[in-house]
């Protein structure tokens, strides 16, 4: 494959479509490759099933032309087609053969082929199929992106002061080209926050591309980010795929040091080289990054992130607090997932009773937004009864049931029997009010309204029971 200008049809995210030609005849591969490159596409060439599979796995072509007779077998192409359909069902595959019959064509389509082209083929027919195949791939990619976009704003649902401050900060930073560094707890949907910034920016019509730096080995991550040049062709990396748009580096603190050095060089020179390449490529990409480490952990040397790179990435730091520090946001989050359960989980909406909602609000949600979504889905799956019936405490996940019991009184149960009524009542009230203060993230007004007390009376009661409000907000209790 060679670097070529953009053709008439563009692939997903505005990229030049790359088409894989799989045929054991060198002349056929060369001819089809030249035809599609003249049309403005990139070509990948393979002579066997094994070579084709390796190229698909590493390059994810836009579409494939696949010879029916492959590996010395008249059904070798069909065997590879079946394998591709299981692993890469979104890639259109066009079968080509010099021994085509109606039966063979029908068999190929039945196994998932997009179309069938006979040899010797007419150039206009082959190019027409290529254009249509790339358009199908583009539409599938767009539909997939739209489905993912629909509820990206879930990460900012809530009425807490922290979420309000983040929304205002996003509005300010989005129109700029400044690099954003997100401190997002595990399950905190940092990528969604980065995407919302991208959608509010002037780059919103260009690609948003993300990669988790902790999920790949160093060699593969470098190829994925910067692309690769080999004897078989050019593989464009994520930096090129995100041209004009945004590249999001999730868990950037886990990025290998050698790759960090390449990013530093890119920031200094405004250009980079593909792995195995010799020439520098100019780039216009906005970089956003995230880590699940807190600023304190980073300053204490909790990662291998180079200091020079850290300060280049951290132009605008945004800290997303965990739900444990803003428990009042759990209720609107739960409601959002319930109201849109058909879209999220494929299940009809249900309502939860007050006891279940109260227990969920009191939980500390160590898995944050992702855990809230998973728990709501679990409850909807497990809940019995009609769609109109409210779901109660019987369908709580075990880990939340245990946590709720411990928060309220189970840890004190053995002490209650030995106490006079007055002391036992005080102990119960302390546990109960501690749970309610935690539930509302230390907001005394909201707590007072829920428990049915005047705000000043609640203050006096908390002081009498020695409940430290600030520490309750952090989910920690004094003895």
């Amino acid at each position: 494959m060679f670097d070529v200008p953009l053709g008439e049809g563009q692939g997903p995210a505005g990229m030049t479509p790359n088409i894989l030609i799989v045929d054991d005849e060198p002349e056929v591969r060369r001819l089809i490759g030249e035809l599609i490159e003249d049309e403005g596409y990139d070509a990948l060439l393979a002579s066997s099933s094994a070579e084709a599979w390796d190229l698909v796995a590493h390059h994810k072509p836009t579409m494939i032309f696949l010879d029916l007779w492959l590996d010395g077998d008249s059904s070798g192409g069909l065997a590879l087609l079946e394998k591709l359909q299981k692993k890469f069902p979104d890639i259109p595959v066009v079968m080509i053969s010099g021994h085509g019959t109606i039966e063979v064509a029908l068999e190929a389509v039945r196994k998932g082929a997009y179309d069938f082209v006979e040899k010797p083929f007419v150039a206009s027919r082959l190019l027409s199929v290529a254009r249509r195949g790339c358009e199908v791939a583009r539409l599938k990619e767009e539909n997939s992106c739209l489905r993912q976009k629909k509820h990206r704003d879930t990460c900012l649902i809530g009425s807490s002061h922290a979420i309000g401050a983040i929304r205002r900060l996003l509005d300010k930073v989005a129109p700029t080209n400044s690099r954003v560094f997100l401190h997002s707890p595990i399950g905190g949907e940092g990528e969604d926050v980065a995407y919302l910034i991208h959608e509010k920016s002037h780059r919103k019509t260009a690609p948003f591309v993300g990669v988790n730096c902790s999920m790949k080995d160093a060699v593969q991550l470098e190829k994925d980010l910067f692309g690769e040049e080999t004897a078989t062709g050019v593989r464009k990396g994520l930096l090129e795929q995100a041209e004009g748009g945004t590249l999001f580096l999730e868990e950037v603190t886990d990025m290998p040091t050698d790759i960090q050095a390449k990013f530093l060089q890119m920031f200094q020179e405004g250009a980079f080289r593909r792995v195995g390449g010799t020439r520098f490529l100019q780039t216009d990409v906005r970089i956003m990054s995230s880590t699940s480490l807190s600023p304190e952990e980073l300053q204490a040397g909790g990662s291998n992130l180079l200091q020079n790179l850290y300060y280049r990435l951290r132009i605008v730091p945004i800290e997303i607090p965990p739900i444990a520090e803003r428990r009042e946001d759990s209720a609107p989050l739960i409601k959002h997932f319930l109201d849109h359960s058909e879209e999220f989980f494929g299940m009809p909406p249900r309502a939860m009773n007050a006891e279940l909602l109260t227990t969920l609000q009191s939980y500390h949600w160590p898995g944050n937004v992702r855990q809230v979504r998973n728990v709501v889905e679990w409850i909807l799956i497990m809940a019995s009864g009609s769609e109109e019936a409210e779901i109660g405490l019987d369908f709580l996940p075990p880990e939340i049931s245990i946590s709720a019991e411990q928060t309220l009184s189970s840890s004190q149960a053995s002490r209650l029997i030995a106490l006079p009524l007055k002391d036992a009542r005080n102990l119960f009230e302390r546990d109960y009010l501690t749970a309610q203060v935690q539930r509302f993230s230390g907001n005394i007004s909201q707590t007072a309204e829920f428990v049915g007390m005047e705000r000043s009376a609640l203050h006096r009661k908390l002081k009498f029971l020695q409940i430290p409000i600030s520490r309750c907000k952090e989910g920690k209790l004094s003895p």
Side-chain angles (χ1 to χ4, degrees):
M1 182 174 68
F2 304 95
D3 289 327
V4 292
L6 294 177
E8 292 179 1
Q10 288 193 324
M15 293 172 56
T16 305
N18 57 333
I19 299 176
L20 172 62
I21 299 103
V22 188
D23 198 299
D24 54 10
E25 297 182 53
E27 188 61 24
V28 173
R29 292 197 304 273
R30 183 191 63 78
L31 179 60
I32 298 177
E34 289 178 354
L35 275 172
I36 64 173
E37 285 185 338
D38 287 344
E39 193 70 6
Y41 302 119
D42 287 344
L44 293 165
L45 308 179
S47 60
S48 66
S49 294
E51 189 178 359
W53 186 256
D54 185 62
L55 287 172
V56 172
H58 288 88
H59 293 257
K60 189 70 184 299
T62 308
M63 67 172 293
I64 301 170
F65 281 104
L66 174 60
D67 188 25
L68 187 67
W69 188 285
L70 202 61
D71 301 331
D73 189 341
S74 59
S75 61
L78 288 177
L80 179 57
L81 172 65
E82 288 187 271
K83 189 177 177 182
L84 288 167
Q85 285 298 300
K86 291 178 182 177
K87 182 74 173 178
F88 305 98
D90 290 338
I91 301 178
V93 179
V94 177
M95 302 303 295
I96 52 178
S97 175
H99 312 282
T101 65
I102 293 296
E103 290 75 18
V104 171
L106 288 174
E107 176 69 5
V109 172
R110 187 182 68 79
K111 290 182 180 293
Y114 170 70
D115 207 336
F116 188 91
V117 176
E118 291 184 79
K119 297 178 186 176
F121 49 81
V122 178
S124 59
R125 156 76 173 153
L126 186 135
L127 291 174
S128 174
V129 171
R131 282 191 289 269
R132 287 191 285 108
C134 289
E135 179 65 10
V136 166
R138 184 184 66 80
L139 291 173
K140 284 183 177 180
E141 178 74 11
E142 284 185 0
N143 287 335
S144 175
C145 288
L146 286 173
R147 286 194 299 271
Q148 294 175 20
K149 286 178 183 179
K150 194 162 188 180
H151 293 285
R152 288 275 198 173
D153 61 348
T154 299
C155 56
L156 294 183
I157 288 177
S159 56
S160 65
H161 174 76
I163 287 297
I166 291 173
R167 287 198 201 100
R168 291 189 293 273
L169 182 54
L170 260 57
D171 289 338
K172 290 182 178 180
V173 72
T176 73
N177 281 319
S178 299
R179 300 182 197 117
V180 176
F181 195 96
L182 296 158
H183 294 275
S184 176
I186 294 173
E189 312 295 339
E191 181 176 354
D192 288 346
V193 175
Y195 179 81
L196 292 177
I197 296 173
H198 171 80
E199 279 293 285
K200 290 173 176 286
S201 74
H202 66 274
R203 296 175 179 265
K204 64 182 179 181
T205 57
F208 176 89
V209 180
V211 62
N212 190 316
C213 298
S214 65
M215 299 295 286
K216 299 174 182 288
D217 63 68
V219 173
Q220 190 58 51
L221 180 61
E222 184 178 11
K223 293 177 181 178
D224 287 348
L225 286 168
F226 297 99
E228 181 183 14
E229 293 184 20
T230 65
T232 58
V234 171
R235 177 192 175 202
K236 293 183 177 179
L238 298 178
L239 275 165
E240 288 178 84
Q241 295 176 33
E243 180 64 24
T246 301
L247 175 63
F248 175 65
L249 304 171
E250 185 175 5
E251 295 297 349
V252 69
T253 47
D254 291 333
M255 181 184 287
T257 306
D258 289 348
I259 302 179
Q260 293 183 45
K262 288 193 71 169
F263 267 99
L264 277 172
Q265 182 183 30
M266 185 187 74
F267 290 148
Q268 291 166 358
E269 300 177 4
F272 67 94
R273 286 185 297 185
R274 301 186 186 110
V275 176
T278 56
R279 67 186 183 92
F280 280 92
L281 303 172
Q282 298 295 317
T283 182
D284 173 26
V285 175
R286 183 181 191 177
I287 305 290
M288 287 193 267
S289 316
S290 79
T291 179
S292 56
L293 299 176
S294 68
E296 293 75 24
E297 289 172 316
L298 281 177
Q299 290 173 5
S303 80
N304 67 341
L305 189 63
L306 297 174
Q307 191 175 54
N308 285 349
L309 181 60
Y310 173 59
Y311 287 115
R312 285 179 180 271
L313 294 173
R314 192 179 177 271
I315 304 299
V316 180
I318 298 178
E319 188 167 358
I320 305 169
I323 294 181
E325 296 179 10
R326 50 183 179 94
R327 296 196 195 200
E328 65 267 42
D329 290 336
S330 62
L333 265 174
I334 293 166
K335 183 178 186 304
H336 178 78
F337 290 126
L338 287 173
D339 290 346
H340 298 90
S341 60
E342 190 75 52
E343 299 163 59
F344 281 112
F345 318 122
M347 289 179 277
R350 295 282 300 272
M352 296 180 181
N353 66 23
E355 291 82 2
L356 177 55
L357 286 171
T358 298
T359 303
L360 291 175
Q361 280 183 271
S362 301
Y363 186 58
H364 59 289
W365 299 108
N368 294 291
V369 176
R370 201 168 298 150
Q371 187 187 13
V372 176
R373 171 177 171 158
N374 292 345
V375 166
V376 171
E377 182 177 9
W378 193 94
I379 291 173
L380 289 174
I381 291 171
M382 301 304 294
S384 57
S386 67
E387 294 177 11
E388 291 74 26
E390 289 187 334
I391 304 173
L393 285 171
D394 292 342
F395 302 103
L396 265 182
E399 70 272 16
I400 298 183
S401 298
I402 294 170
S403 175
E405 291 171 5
Q406 291 174 341
T407 300
L408 286 172
S409 63
S410 64
S411 62
Q412 306 287 355
S414 61
R415 296 173 54 195
L416 288 174
I417 298 175
L419 293 176
L421 176 61
K422 179 180 178 182
D423 293 341
R425 185 173 62 241
N426 287 342
L427 184 60
F428 170 78
E429 286 185 343
R430 188 177 192 274
D431 285 344
Y432 171 77
L433 291 176
T434 293
Q436 296 298 348
V437 171
Q438 287 181 340
R439 174 189 177 191
F440 293 105
S441 300
N443 189 309
I444 300 302
S445 297
Q446 292 181 10
T447 306
E449 181 180 357
F450 180 82
V451 301
M453 296 178 68
E454 291 291 334
R455 190 174 184 278
S456 57
L458 178 59
H459 260 297
R460 289 194 297 273
K461 176 65 75 172
L462 294 175
K463 184 176 181 181
F464 173 74
L465 295 173
Q466 297 182 335
I467 299 176
I469 299 171
S470 61
R471 298 195 72 192
C472 283
K473 186 171 182 179
E474 298 171 1
K476 303 172 184 175
L477 301 180
S478 293

